Short mmCIF file of all heavy atoms in Angstrom, two decimals:
data_model
loop_
_atom_site.label_atom_id
_atom_site.label_comp_id
_atom_site.label_asym_id
_atom_site.label_seq_id
_atom_site.Cartn_x
_atom_site.Cartn_y
_atom_site.Cartn_z
N ASP A 49 98.45 97.46 98.21
CA ASP A 49 98.96 98.81 98.35
C ASP A 49 98.91 99.41 99.74
O ASP A 49 99.27 100.55 99.89
CB ASP A 49 98.25 99.67 97.23
CG ASP A 49 98.84 101.14 97.19
OD1 ASP A 49 100.11 101.12 96.93
OD2 ASP A 49 98.20 102.02 97.21
N GLN A 50 98.52 98.68 100.74
CA GLN A 50 98.31 99.10 102.07
C GLN A 50 99.53 98.64 102.86
O GLN A 50 99.81 97.57 103.08
CB GLN A 50 97.03 98.56 102.66
CG GLN A 50 96.75 99.18 103.96
CD GLN A 50 95.44 98.66 104.48
OE1 GLN A 50 94.77 97.95 103.94
NE2 GLN A 50 95.04 99.19 105.74
N ILE A 51 100.23 99.67 103.33
CA ILE A 51 101.35 99.44 104.23
C ILE A 51 100.90 98.91 105.68
O ILE A 51 99.99 99.35 106.27
CB ILE A 51 102.07 100.76 104.54
CG1 ILE A 51 102.69 101.33 103.25
CG2 ILE A 51 103.32 100.56 105.50
CD1 ILE A 51 103.36 102.70 103.28
N LYS A 52 101.61 97.74 106.02
CA LYS A 52 101.28 97.06 107.32
C LYS A 52 102.40 97.41 108.38
O LYS A 52 102.01 97.56 109.56
CB LYS A 52 101.27 95.63 107.02
CG LYS A 52 100.04 95.23 106.25
CD LYS A 52 98.67 95.65 106.87
CE LYS A 52 97.53 95.18 106.12
NZ LYS A 52 96.28 95.64 106.70
N SER A 53 103.63 97.45 107.94
CA SER A 53 104.74 97.74 108.95
C SER A 53 106.06 98.40 108.19
O SER A 53 106.04 98.23 107.02
CB SER A 53 105.12 96.50 109.56
OG SER A 53 105.79 95.70 108.82
N ILE A 54 106.65 99.10 109.00
CA ILE A 54 107.91 99.67 108.55
C ILE A 54 108.97 99.53 109.53
O ILE A 54 108.88 99.58 110.72
CB ILE A 54 107.67 101.27 108.43
CG1 ILE A 54 106.59 101.46 107.26
CG2 ILE A 54 109.02 101.85 107.84
CD1 ILE A 54 106.23 103.03 107.12
N SER A 55 110.13 99.18 108.96
CA SER A 55 111.46 99.17 109.85
C SER A 55 112.45 100.08 109.31
O SER A 55 112.62 100.18 108.08
CB SER A 55 112.06 97.75 109.83
OG SER A 55 111.15 96.77 110.42
N VAL A 56 113.04 100.95 110.21
CA VAL A 56 113.98 101.94 109.72
C VAL A 56 115.24 101.64 110.54
O VAL A 56 115.24 101.56 111.64
CB VAL A 56 113.48 103.40 110.08
CG1 VAL A 56 114.48 104.40 109.81
CG2 VAL A 56 112.18 103.63 109.41
N PHE A 57 116.30 101.60 109.68
CA PHE A 57 117.71 101.49 110.27
C PHE A 57 118.52 102.66 109.83
O PHE A 57 118.64 102.98 108.68
CB PHE A 57 118.35 100.13 109.63
CG PHE A 57 117.74 98.85 110.01
CD1 PHE A 57 116.61 98.43 109.40
CD2 PHE A 57 118.30 98.13 111.02
CE1 PHE A 57 116.04 97.19 109.75
CE2 PHE A 57 117.79 96.93 111.43
CZ PHE A 57 116.58 96.45 110.82
N GLN A 58 119.04 103.21 110.97
CA GLN A 58 119.99 104.41 110.62
C GLN A 58 121.40 103.96 111.19
O GLN A 58 121.48 103.57 112.23
CB GLN A 58 119.48 105.60 111.53
CG GLN A 58 118.13 106.10 111.10
CD GLN A 58 117.73 107.39 111.78
OE1 GLN A 58 118.39 108.43 111.72
NE2 GLN A 58 116.55 107.25 112.43
N THR A 59 122.31 104.01 110.30
CA THR A 59 123.78 103.44 110.62
C THR A 59 124.61 104.65 110.62
O THR A 59 124.70 105.35 109.54
CB THR A 59 124.12 102.45 109.51
OG1 THR A 59 123.00 101.33 109.58
CG2 THR A 59 125.45 101.83 109.89
N TYR A 60 125.36 104.80 111.60
CA TYR A 60 126.42 105.88 111.81
C TYR A 60 127.66 105.10 112.00
O TYR A 60 127.92 104.18 112.91
CB TYR A 60 126.08 106.61 113.15
CG TYR A 60 124.77 107.36 113.15
CD1 TYR A 60 123.65 106.61 113.85
CD2 TYR A 60 124.59 108.68 112.64
CE1 TYR A 60 122.50 107.17 113.72
CE2 TYR A 60 123.35 109.21 112.71
CZ TYR A 60 122.27 108.46 113.21
OH TYR A 60 121.01 109.08 113.30
N THR A 61 128.81 105.56 111.12
CA THR A 61 130.05 105.10 111.35
C THR A 61 130.76 105.76 112.37
O THR A 61 130.80 107.11 112.45
CB THR A 61 130.82 105.07 109.99
OG1 THR A 61 130.12 104.35 109.05
CG2 THR A 61 132.25 104.49 110.12
N LEU A 62 131.36 105.12 113.33
CA LEU A 62 132.01 105.83 114.56
C LEU A 62 133.50 105.83 114.35
O LEU A 62 134.04 105.03 113.69
CB LEU A 62 131.63 105.06 115.86
CG LEU A 62 130.24 104.89 116.20
CD1 LEU A 62 129.98 103.96 117.36
CD2 LEU A 62 129.60 106.21 116.42
#
Side-chain angles (χ1 to χ4, degrees):
D49 189 49
Q50 185 176 359
I51 296 175
K52 295 297 182 184
S53 67
I54 298 174
S55 295
V56 179
F57 292 83
Q58 296 181 63
T59 304
Y60 303 88
T61 301
L62 302 174

